Amino acid sequence: MSAGRPRARLRLPAWTATLYWKFAVFVIVMCCVLATVVGVLVHVLVGRQTEAQARSAALAELDTVAAAYVAGEPLGRNAAVNPADLPASLLTLARHGERGTQLGEHRGRPVMWAVTPADGRALAVHLDHTQRAAALRGLDRAIIGSSAFAIALTLLAGLFAVSRITRRLHRTAQVARRISTGDLDARVDDPRVLRPDQAQDEAAAVAAALDAMAAALQAKLNSEQRFTADVAHELRTPLTGLRVAAELLPPGRPTEMVQDRIGTMSRLTEDLLEISRLDAEVEQADIDLHQLAPLAERAVLATGLAAEVRIERDARVETDQRRLQRVLGNLVSNAHKHGRPPVILTVDGLTITVRDHGDGYPGRLLDHGPQRFSSHSGSGKKTGHGLGLTIAVGQARVLDATLHFSNAPDGGAVAELILPPLPPDRALHQPTGADDS
């Protein structure tokens, strides 16, 4: 085998990683080991006991035959001198003047041989061992059958017990996924947690920890949302006063700079208020039927920025015109602010793509989505407040649309907005050439 060739690793199916599979394998292996150990011990002990009884019976019969041989009486049908099928080891033992027993065969049947020396020859008797051997084999079959039944019964009982735990763990995982998607009201509410007087298992401890974490996270986020909304509301009054005062200043460059900063602060305050409403999920979309291409063109015109609009395939959508234009306007503004021209907006059915030709989105944004007050350009320089894309994502959620961020293979940031299709009943009864509202 060559040194540079990587070794192929055996990949098991995904279901083998489940707790059911691992528990089943553990139970089967442990039960088989236990059944094997117990079965071997029982077989050995019973076999030794059976063989000892057969040896005792054979030696007792040998004593009777030996007495008859000395008295010159008939030996009987189970006794003979130097029988032809006597094991060689017993024949040698008798020639050395010793007694002995050994399991062997006589005419194809299992027997227990007993031998003693007699006038330089071997006086031997044999007792049938067929019933004892059959009883031992029956015991082996009983051990195997009872072990298989015990393994199956233990496996079923164990899987039933594990299924109760895995159902609770699956529910906990489902709640955790709901929380990760923003449903902070989701709770496991394990009944064992609600009864603290009873003993708590590990699954209940995990559920209690998840519920406590969700409650703490919800309280923290609610506090932050209230703080953001309160700050934005409180800033409105002094900003209004500043705007009025700035209008009274004499014309000149300093006045323009002050008014520009006041305008920036006002836009930031409005953005904060909008984000607080989106976080509180109190926004309601004003749904109506619209032709998508005119909406996209008006959204670009409203920004006052240069952007090429390409209509690959127009579509009729049911959406909120103001919110959709807000999303597209933020995407175009972000492309101009952090990317490089040309900025291209493409309408292809229900998909609207906004692309620039700059350095692309940073990896943190692609991995975790837009973060407020954490906006970075492709070169790593921090710019802006990160609120434009955050608002775009929130408004897209209100529209029940999906907003994806990616980088083009040949460079540039790509934002793809996918709108929901018309309901089947509305799509069938709408004329294709209807005017936009």
Side-chain angles (χ1 to χ4, degrees):
M1 181 177 65
S2 61
R5 181 179 300 174
R7 297 179 61 184
R9 297 181 61 184
L10 178 62
R11 296 182 62 89
L12 297 176
W15 56 267
T16 58
T18 61
L19 188 59
Y20 273 113
W21 164 258
K22 293 179 179 179
F23 180 80
V25 171
F26 175 78
V27 168
I28 291 174
V29 170
M30 294 305 299
C31 287
C32 287
V33 171
L34 182 62
T36 301
V37 172
V38 173
V40 169
L41 288 176
V42 171
H43 175 86
V44 171
L45 291 176
V46 173
R48 288 179 178 179
Q49 183 179 6
T50 301
E51 188 174 339
Q53 293 174 353
R55 292 181 188 278
S56 298
L59 290 175
E61 182 67 17
L62 181 62
D63 290 339
T64 302
V65 170
Y69 177 81
V70 172
E73 297 176 357
L75 300 181
R77 62 186 184 87
N78 292 336
V81 177
N82 291 341
D85 48 3
L86 180 67
S89 57
L90 290 181
L91 182 61
T92 303
L93 195 66
R95 288 177 178 176
H96 286 82
E98 297 180 4
R99 292 167 38 129
T101 58
Q102 181 180 333
L103 283 173
E105 290 187 355
H106 177 68
R107 296 179 181 176
R109 297 173 64 87
V111 295
M112 174 63 74
W113 288 98
V115 65
T116 186
D119 299 331
R121 295 180 297 177
L123 177 61
V125 297
H126 59 274
L127 296 182
D128 186 70
H129 199 67
T130 303
Q131 292 185 354
R132 289 189 173 92
L136 189 60
R137 290 193 297 271
L139 176 64
D140 292 341
R141 289 192 295 269
I143 292 175
I144 294 174
S146 60
S147 298
F149 177 76
I151 291 173
L153 185 62
T154 304
L155 183 61
L156 291 176
L159 289 178
F160 174 76
V162 169
S163 66
R164 301 182 63 185
I165 297 177
T166 54
R167 282 197 300 267
R168 294 164 60 195
L169 293 177
H170 280 308
R171 170 169 171 74
T172 303
Q174 291 174 356
V175 172
R177 285 191 289 268
R178 289 172 56 190
I179 294 174
S180 66
T181 57
D183 184 6
L184 298 182
D185 293 324
R187 297 292 186 272
V188 180
D189 291 333
D190 194 310
R192 292 165 182 78
V193 178
L194 304 178
R195 293 177 293 184
D197 55 316
Q198 296 185 358
Q200 306 293 316
D201 58 7
E202 289 78 2
V206 172
L210 180 63
D211 286 349
M213 181 198 70
L217 181 61
Q218 186 178 36
K220 182 178 179 181
L221 289 179
N222 289 339
S223 176
E224 291 181 354
Q225 291 171 8
R226 286 193 300 269
F227 175 77
T228 302
D230 292 343
V231 168
H233 278 290
E234 292 298 326
L235 285 175
R236 270 183 161 182
T237 300
L239 283 174
T240 302
L242 285 174
R243 185 180 296 109
V244 173
E247 293 176 354
L248 300 177
L249 294 175
R253 181 59 182 165
T255 300
E256 293 177 358
M257 293 177 62
V258 170
Q259 291 176 344
D260 179 69
R261 293 298 89 192
I262 293 175
T264 301
M265 286 291 295
S266 298
R267 289 191 295 273
L268 177 59
T269 301
E270 295 302 324
D271 286 345
L272 289 174
L273 285 172
E274 186 173 357
I275 286 178
S276 66
R277 291 193 299 269
L278 292 171
D279 287 342
E281 297 182 354
V282 297
E283 294 285 281
Q284 298 290 332
D286 185 12
I287 299 297
D288 201 356
L289 282 171
H290 300 278
Q291 205 68 26
L292 191 54
L295 280 183
E297 293 172 347
R298 287 200 295 268
V300 173
L301 289 175
T303 63
L305 301 171
E308 179 185 354
V309 179
R310 298 177 179 176
I311 310 299
E312 301 288 344
R313 183 165 50 95
D314 197 3
R316 195 161 181 81
V317 295
E318 198 173 43
T319 188
D320 187 322
Q321 174 181 349
R322 181 184 65 84
R323 297 183 189 279
L324 179 59
Q325 290 181 344
R326 174 69 161 153
V327 174
L328 297 180
N330 282 13
L331 294 179
V332 172
S333 298
N334 184 82
H336 275 278
K337 188 172 185 179
H338 301 289
R340 288 191 294 271
V343 175
I344 303 173
L345 186 148
T346 304
V347 177
D348 186 5
L350 298 175
T351 302
I352 305 175
T353 304
V354 177
R355 177 191 173 176
D356 61 51
H357 290 75
D359 297 324
Y361 292 117
R364 182 177 179 82
L365 186 146
L366 296 178
D367 294 336
H368 305 288
Q371 304 293 318
R372 61 194 71 176
F373 298 107
S374 179
S375 177
H376 295 265
S377 65
S379 59
K381 182 180 178 181
K382 187 172 182 179
T383 57
H385 302 286
L387 299 182
L389 293 183
T390 303
I391 292 174
V393 171
Q395 294 290 9
R397 189 181 304 114
V398 175
L399 296 174
D400 199 21
T402 305
L403 184 56
H404 295 293
F405 300 99
S406 62
N407 289 329
D410 55 346
V414 179
E416 186 180 63
L417 179 68
I418 304 175
L419 298 172
L422 281 175
D425 55 338
R426 302 293 298 271
L428 290 176
H429 295 87
Q430 289 301 323
T432 58
D435 293 332
D436 188 18
S437 59

